Amino acid sequence: MHNLAFQQVGNTNKGEYDADEALVVARVIQQMREGVNGGINGQDGVSFIQQYYLNKGLKIFKERGKDAAMKELDQLIKRSCWTPISIEKLRPTERKKAIDAMMLLAEKNDGVTITLCIQR
């Protein structure tokens, strides 16, 4: 058994693959299965978690989500990862160069800890 979920909507997303591609898919599934079951050397396996965009995560996790977000952002500021700049002070060319980022909240496997992940 492996933790894969796939939702097919209509026939437009169907595809075919040859024997070599099937081998790759089988190997990926096998590696996931080994990871979920602790791997060959008994190491920790694969973990699948639900991540939420910041707004939704704050609604779900409430104060714990807010605390996790503030803690992570505080660390980034203290480590001088960036300097906040008001968008009104940026020229149009600078605005285009700005990197969009997603802030995601997730609950760790311990069922208590909430973590913030920033993805570009």
Side-chain angles (χ1 to χ4, degrees), residues 84-107:
I85 301 173
S86 175
I87 195 164
E88 288 85 26
K89 294 182 179 181
L90 295 176
R91 294 186 299 266
T93 55
E94 292 174 321
R95 287 183 191 184
K96 288 181 182 178
K97 291 180 182 178
I99 298 172
D100 288 329
M102 292 185 300
M103 297 175 79
L104 304 167
L105 285 174
E107 187 173 41

PDB file of all heavy atoms in Angstrom, residues 84-107:
ATOM      1  N   PRO A  84      12.478  44.841   4.747  1.00  0.00           N
ATOM      2  CA  PRO A  84      11.144  45.243   4.277  1.00  0.00           C
ATOM      3  C   PRO A  84      11.200  46.581   3.539  1.00  0.00           C
ATOM      4  O   PRO A  84      11.877  47.502   3.963  1.00  0.00           O
ATOM      5  CB  PRO A  84      10.329  45.376   5.564  1.00  0.00           C
ATOM      6  CG  PRO A  84      11.124  44.700   6.621  1.00  0.00           C
ATOM      7  CD  PRO A  84      12.543  44.719   6.194  1.00  0.00           C
ATOM      8  N   ILE A  85      10.505  46.653   2.414  1.00  0.00           N
ATOM      9  CA  ILE A  85      10.404  47.882   1.624  1.00  0.00           C
ATOM     10  C   ILE A  85       8.940  48.070   1.261  1.00  0.00           C
ATOM     11  O   ILE A  85       8.288  47.140   0.797  1.00  0.00           O
ATOM     12  CB  ILE A  85      11.242  47.801   0.329  1.00  0.00           C
ATOM     13  CG1 ILE A  85      12.720  47.560   0.649  1.00  0.00           C
ATOM     14  CG2 ILE A  85      11.084  49.058  -0.508  1.00  0.00           C
ATOM     15  CD1 ILE A  85      13.574  47.311  -0.581  1.00  0.00           C
ATOM     16  N   SER A  86       8.454  49.267   1.459  1.00  0.00           N
ATOM     17  CA  SER A  86       7.076  49.579   1.086  1.00  0.00           C
ATOM     18  C   SER A  86       6.939  49.510  -0.431  1.00  0.00           C
ATOM     19  O   SER A  86       7.787  50.027  -1.170  1.00  0.00           O
ATOM     20  CB  SER A  86       6.695  50.974   1.580  1.00  0.00           C
ATOM     21  OG  SER A  86       5.405  51.318   1.117  1.00  0.00           O
ATOM     22  N   ILE A  87       5.875  48.880  -0.914  1.00  0.00           N
ATOM     23  CA  ILE A  87       5.679  48.725  -2.361  1.00  0.00           C
ATOM     24  C   ILE A  87       5.518  50.077  -3.044  1.00  0.00           C
ATOM     25  O   ILE A  87       5.865  50.234  -4.214  1.00  0.00           O
ATOM     26  CB  ILE A  87       4.491  47.788  -2.658  1.00  0.00           C
ATOM     27  CG1 ILE A  87       4.540  47.351  -4.109  1.00  0.00           C
ATOM     28  CG2 ILE A  87       3.165  48.456  -2.326  1.00  0.00           C
ATOM     29  CD1 ILE A  87       3.680  46.160  -4.407  1.00  0.00           C
ATOM     30  N   GLU A  88       5.019  51.075  -2.312  1.00  0.00           N
ATOM     31  CA  GLU A  88       4.857  52.410  -2.895  1.00  0.00           C
ATOM     32  C   GLU A  88       6.199  53.042  -3.236  1.00  0.00           C
ATOM     33  O   GLU A  88       6.275  53.924  -4.090  1.00  0.00           O
ATOM     34  CB  GLU A  88       4.088  53.335  -1.929  1.00  0.00           C
ATOM     35  CG  GLU A  88       2.618  53.025  -1.791  1.00  0.00           C
ATOM     36  CD  GLU A  88       2.346  51.934  -0.760  1.00  0.00           C
ATOM     37  OE1 GLU A  88       3.171  51.756   0.169  1.00  0.00           O
ATOM     38  OE2 GLU A  88       1.317  51.259  -0.885  1.00  0.00           O
ATOM     39  N   LYS A  89       7.274  52.606  -2.585  1.00  0.00           N
ATOM     40  CA  LYS A  89       8.602  53.181  -2.826  1.00  0.00           C
ATOM     41  C   LYS A  89       9.333  52.516  -3.986  1.00  0.00           C
ATOM     42  O   LYS A  89      10.406  52.962  -4.374  1.00  0.00           O
ATOM     43  CB  LYS A  89       9.448  53.078  -1.560  1.00  0.00           C
ATOM     44  CG  LYS A  89       8.919  53.941  -0.430  1.00  0.00           C
ATOM     45  CD  LYS A  89       9.810  53.859   0.778  1.00  0.00           C
ATOM     46  CE  LYS A  89       9.263  54.745   1.896  1.00  0.00           C
ATOM     47  NZ  LYS A  89      10.122  54.700   3.077  1.00  0.00           N
ATOM     48  N   LEU A  90       8.778  51.439  -4.529  1.00  0.00           N
ATOM     49  CA  LEU A  90       9.427  50.724  -5.632  1.00  0.00           C
ATOM     50  C   LEU A  90       9.044  51.323  -6.979  1.00  0.00           C
ATOM     51  O   LEU A  90       7.900  51.701  -7.200  1.00  0.00           O
ATOM     52  CB  LEU A  90       9.033  49.247  -5.617  1.00  0.00           C
ATOM     53  CG  LEU A  90       9.485  48.425  -4.424  1.00  0.00           C
ATOM     54  CD1 LEU A  90       8.929  47.012  -4.536  1.00  0.00           C
ATOM     55  CD2 LEU A  90      10.989  48.391  -4.322  1.00  0.00           C
ATOM     56  N   ARG A  91      10.037  51.384  -7.873  1.00  0.00           N
ATOM     57  CA  ARG A  91       9.753  51.786  -9.253  1.00  0.00           C
ATOM     58  C   ARG A  91       9.088  50.613  -9.966  1.00  0.00           C
ATOM     59  O   ARG A  91       9.215  49.465  -9.540  1.00  0.00           O
ATOM     60  CB  ARG A  91      11.059  52.169  -9.953  1.00  0.00           C
ATOM     61  CG  ARG A  91      11.707  53.423  -9.364  1.00  0.00           C
ATOM     62  CD  ARG A  91      12.920  53.857 -10.194  1.00  0.00           C
ATOM     63  NE  ARG A  91      13.966  52.836 -10.241  1.00  0.00           N
ATOM     64  CZ  ARG A  91      15.002  52.787  -9.408  1.00  0.00           C
ATOM     65  NH1 ARG A  91      15.139  53.680  -8.459  1.00  0.00           N
ATOM     66  NH2 ARG A  91      15.907  51.841  -9.519  1.00  0.00           N
ATOM     67  N   PRO A  92       8.372  50.878 -11.065  1.00  0.00           N
ATOM     68  CA  PRO A  92       7.702  49.791 -11.795  1.00  0.00           C
ATOM     69  C   PRO A  92       8.645  48.651 -12.195  1.00  0.00           C
ATOM     70  O   PRO A  92       8.280  47.479 -12.103  1.00  0.00           O
ATOM     71  CB  PRO A  92       7.107  50.484 -13.018  1.00  0.00           C
ATOM     72  CG  PRO A  92       6.892  51.890 -12.565  1.00  0.00           C
ATOM     73  CD  PRO A  92       8.028  52.186 -11.614  1.00  0.00           C
ATOM     74  N   THR A  93       9.868  48.980 -12.601  1.00  0.00           N
ATOM     75  CA  THR A  93      10.818  47.918 -12.986  1.00  0.00           C
ATOM     76  C   THR A  93      11.218  47.081 -11.773  1.00  0.00           C
ATOM     77  O   THR A  93      11.415  45.876 -11.891  1.00  0.00           O
ATOM     78  CB  THR A  93      12.082  48.522 -13.634  1.00  0.00           C
ATOM     79  OG1 THR A  93      12.650  49.489 -12.745  1.00  0.00           O
ATOM     80  CG2 THR A  93      11.766  49.161 -14.970  1.00  0.00           C
ATOM     81  N   GLU A  94      11.327  47.720 -10.601  1.00  0.00           N
ATOM     82  CA  GLU A  94      11.662  46.979  -9.391  1.00  0.00           C
ATOM     83  C   GLU A  94      10.503  46.079  -8.964  1.00  0.00           C
ATOM     84  O   GLU A  94      10.713  44.969  -8.478  1.00  0.00           O
ATOM     85  CB  GLU A  94      12.006  47.945  -8.258  1.00  0.00           C
ATOM     86  CG  GLU A  94      13.298  48.700  -8.488  1.00  0.00           C
ATOM     87  CD  GLU A  94      13.557  49.757  -7.436  1.00  0.00           C
ATOM     88  OE1 GLU A  94      12.577  50.432  -7.020  1.00  0.00           O
ATOM     89  OE2 GLU A  94      14.726  49.912  -7.041  1.00  0.00           O
ATOM     90  N   ARG A  95       9.282  46.559  -9.155  1.00  0.00           N
ATOM     91  CA  ARG A  95       8.110  45.743  -8.819  1.00  0.00           C
ATOM     92  C   ARG A  95       8.067  44.468  -9.653  1.00  0.00           C
ATOM     93  O   ARG A  95       7.713  43.405  -9.164  1.00  0.00           O
ATOM     94  CB  ARG A  95       6.823  46.536  -9.041  1.00  0.00           C
ATOM     95  CG  ARG A  95       6.586  47.591  -8.005  1.00  0.00           C
ATOM     96  CD  ARG A  95       5.266  48.272  -8.238  1.00  0.00           C
ATOM     97  NE  ARG A  95       5.156  49.451  -7.388  1.00  0.00           N
ATOM     98  CZ  ARG A  95       4.093  50.201  -7.314  1.00  0.00           C
ATOM     99  NH1 ARG A  95       3.034  49.928  -8.067  1.00  0.00           N
ATOM    100  NH2 ARG A  95       4.072  51.244  -6.534  1.00  0.00           N
ATOM    101  N   LYS A  96       8.450  44.597 -10.950  1.00  0.00           N
ATOM    102  CA  LYS A  96       8.446  43.423 -11.827  1.00  0.00           C
ATOM    103  C   LYS A  96       9.494  42.402 -11.402  1.00  0.00           C
ATOM    104  O   LYS A  96       9.322  41.211 -11.610  1.00  0.00           O
ATOM    105  CB  LYS A  96       8.686  43.840 -13.274  1.00  0.00           C
ATOM    106  CG  LYS A  96       7.513  44.554 -13.893  1.00  0.00           C
ATOM    107  CD  LYS A  96       7.798  44.929 -15.329  1.00  0.00           C
ATOM    108  CE  LYS A  96       6.621  45.692 -15.925  1.00  0.00           C
ATOM    109  NZ  LYS A  96       6.878  46.110 -17.304  1.00  0.00           N
ATOM    110  N   LYS A  97      10.596  42.866 -10.821  1.00  0.00           N
ATOM    111  CA  LYS A  97      11.670  41.963 -10.392  1.00  0.00           C
ATOM    112  C   LYS A  97      11.393  41.315  -9.041  1.00  0.00           C
ATOM    113  O   LYS A  97      12.073  40.374  -8.654  1.00  0.00           O
ATOM    114  CB  LYS A  97      12.995  42.730 -10.312  1.00  0.00           C
ATOM    115  CG  LYS A  97      13.538  43.151 -11.655  1.00  0.00           C
ATOM    116  CD  LYS A  97      14.851  43.893 -11.477  1.00  0.00           C
ATOM    117  CE  LYS A  97      15.382  44.374 -12.804  1.00  0.00           C
ATOM    118  NZ  LYS A  97      16.637  45.135 -12.628  1.00  0.00           N
ATOM    119  N   ALA A  98      10.434  41.836  -8.320  1.00  0.00           N
ATOM    120  CA  ALA A  98      10.115  41.282  -7.001  1.00  0.00           C
ATOM    121  C   ALA A  98       9.672  39.827  -7.152  1.00  0.00           C
ATOM    122  O   ALA A  98       8.988  39.466  -8.111  1.00  0.00           O
ATOM    123  CB  ALA A  98       9.029  42.105  -6.334  1.00  0.00           C
ATOM    124  N   ILE A  99      10.049  39.007  -6.215  1.00  0.00           N
ATOM    125  CA  ILE A  99       9.729  37.586  -6.260  1.00  0.00           C
ATOM    126  C   ILE A  99       8.449  37.334  -5.476  1.00  0.00           C
ATOM    127  O   ILE A  99       8.338  37.701  -4.310  1.00  0.00           O
ATOM    128  CB  ILE A  99      10.876  36.753  -5.660  1.00  0.00           C
ATOM    129  CG1 ILE A  99      12.149  36.954  -6.470  1.00  0.00           C
ATOM    130  CG2 ILE A  99      10.499  35.281  -5.595  1.00  0.00           C
ATOM    131  CD1 ILE A  99      13.366  36.319  -5.835  1.00  0.00           C
ATOM    132  N   ASP A 100       7.486  36.706  -6.147  1.00  0.00           N
ATOM    133  CA  ASP A 100       6.272  36.293  -5.459  1.00  0.00           C
ATOM    134  C   ASP A 100       6.606  35.107  -4.567  1.00  0.00           C
ATOM    135  O   ASP A 100       7.415  34.251  -4.919  1.00  0.00           O
ATOM    136  CB  ASP A 100       5.190  35.872  -6.460  1.00  0.00           C
ATOM    137  CG  ASP A 100       4.601  37.058  -7.207  1.00  0.00           C
ATOM    138  OD1 ASP A 100       4.556  38.147  -6.612  1.00  0.00           O
ATOM    139  OD2 ASP A 100       4.186  36.883  -8.361  1.00  0.00           O
ATOM    140  N   ALA A 101       5.975  35.060  -3.431  1.00  0.00           N
ATOM    141  CA  ALA A 101       6.183  33.943  -2.511  1.00  0.00           C
ATOM    142  C   ALA A 101       4.844  33.531  -1.921  1.00  0.00           C
ATOM    143  O   ALA A 101       3.941  34.345  -1.778  1.00  0.00           O
ATOM    144  CB  ALA A 101       7.151  34.331  -1.401  1.00  0.00           C
ATOM    145  N   MET A 102       4.727  32.247  -1.604  1.00  0.00           N
ATOM    146  CA  MET A 102       3.537  31.734  -0.936  1.00  0.00           C
ATOM    147  C   MET A 102       3.912  31.409   0.495  1.00  0.00           C
ATOM    148  O   MET A 102       4.974  30.833   0.754  1.00  0.00           O
ATOM    149  CB  MET A 102       3.047  30.453  -1.616  1.00  0.00           C
ATOM    150  CG  MET A 102       2.512  30.647  -3.000  1.00  0.00           C
ATOM    151  SD  MET A 102       1.828  29.115  -3.661  1.00  0.00           S
ATOM    152  CE  MET A 102       3.230  28.028  -3.628  1.00  0.00           C
ATOM    153  N   MET A 103       3.042  31.778   1.410  1.00  0.00           N
ATOM    154  CA  MET A 103       3.241  31.422   2.805  1.00  0.00           C
ATOM    155  C   MET A 103       2.222  30.340   3.139  1.00  0.00           C
ATOM    156  O   MET A 103       1.021  30.547   2.975  1.00  0.00           O
ATOM    157  CB  MET A 103       3.067  32.647   3.694  1.00  0.00           C
ATOM    158  CG  MET A 103       4.099  33.727   3.411  1.00  0.00           C
ATOM    159  SD  MET A 103       3.804  35.225   4.356  1.00  0.00           S
ATOM    160  CE  MET A 103       4.459  34.738   5.921  1.00  0.00           C
ATOM    161  N   LEU A 104       2.716  29.194   3.567  1.00  0.00           N
ATOM    162  CA  LEU A 104       1.855  28.049   3.843  1.00  0.00           C
ATOM    163  C   LEU A 104       1.999  27.635   5.310  1.00  0.00           C
ATOM    164  O   LEU A 104       3.098  27.629   5.854  1.00  0.00           O
ATOM    165  CB  LEU A 104       2.244  26.876   2.945  1.00  0.00           C
ATOM    166  CG  LEU A 104       2.239  27.158   1.445  1.00  0.00           C
ATOM    167  CD1 LEU A 104       2.925  26.037   0.695  1.00  0.00           C
ATOM    168  CD2 LEU A 104       0.831  27.349   0.954  1.00  0.00           C
ATOM    169  N   LEU A 105       0.888  27.281   5.916  1.00  0.00           N
ATOM    170  CA  LEU A 105       0.892  26.757   7.286  1.00  0.00           C
ATOM    171  C   LEU A 105       0.557  25.275   7.259  1.00  0.00           C
ATOM    172  O   LEU A 105      -0.282  24.838   6.467  1.00  0.00           O
ATOM    173  CB  LEU A 105      -0.147  27.485   8.148  1.00  0.00           C
ATOM    174  CG  LEU A 105       0.209  28.899   8.595  1.00  0.00           C
ATOM    175  CD1 LEU A 105      -0.972  29.534   9.317  1.00  0.00           C
ATOM    176  CD2 LEU A 105       1.427  28.906   9.487  1.00  0.00           C
ATOM    177  N   ALA A 106       1.218  24.515   8.118  1.00  0.00           N
ATOM    178  CA  ALA A 106       0.959  23.081   8.213  1.00  0.00           C
ATOM    179  C   ALA A 106       1.136  22.635   9.655  1.00  0.00           C
ATOM    180  O   ALA A 106       1.935  23.203  10.395  1.00  0.00           O
ATOM    181  CB  ALA A 106       1.904  22.299   7.308  1.00  0.00           C
ATOM    182  N   GLU A 107       0.389  21.618  10.041  1.00  0.00           N
ATOM    183  CA  GLU A 107       0.526  21.027  11.363  1.00  0.00           C
ATOM    184  C   GLU A 107       1.477  19.852  11.263  1.00  0.00           C
ATOM    185  O   GLU A 107       1.325  18.986  10.390  1.00  0.00           O
ATOM    186  CB  GLU A 107      -0.844  20.556  11.868  1.00  0.00           C
ATOM    187  CG  GLU A 107      -0.831  20.093  13.295  1.00  0.00           C
ATOM    188  CD  GLU A 107      -2.243  19.802  13.799  1.00  0.00           C
ATOM    189  OE1 GLU A 107      -3.033  19.225  13.028  1.00  0.00           O
ATOM    190  OE2 GLU A 107      -2.539  20.154  14.933  1.00  0.00           O
TER     191      GLU A 107
END
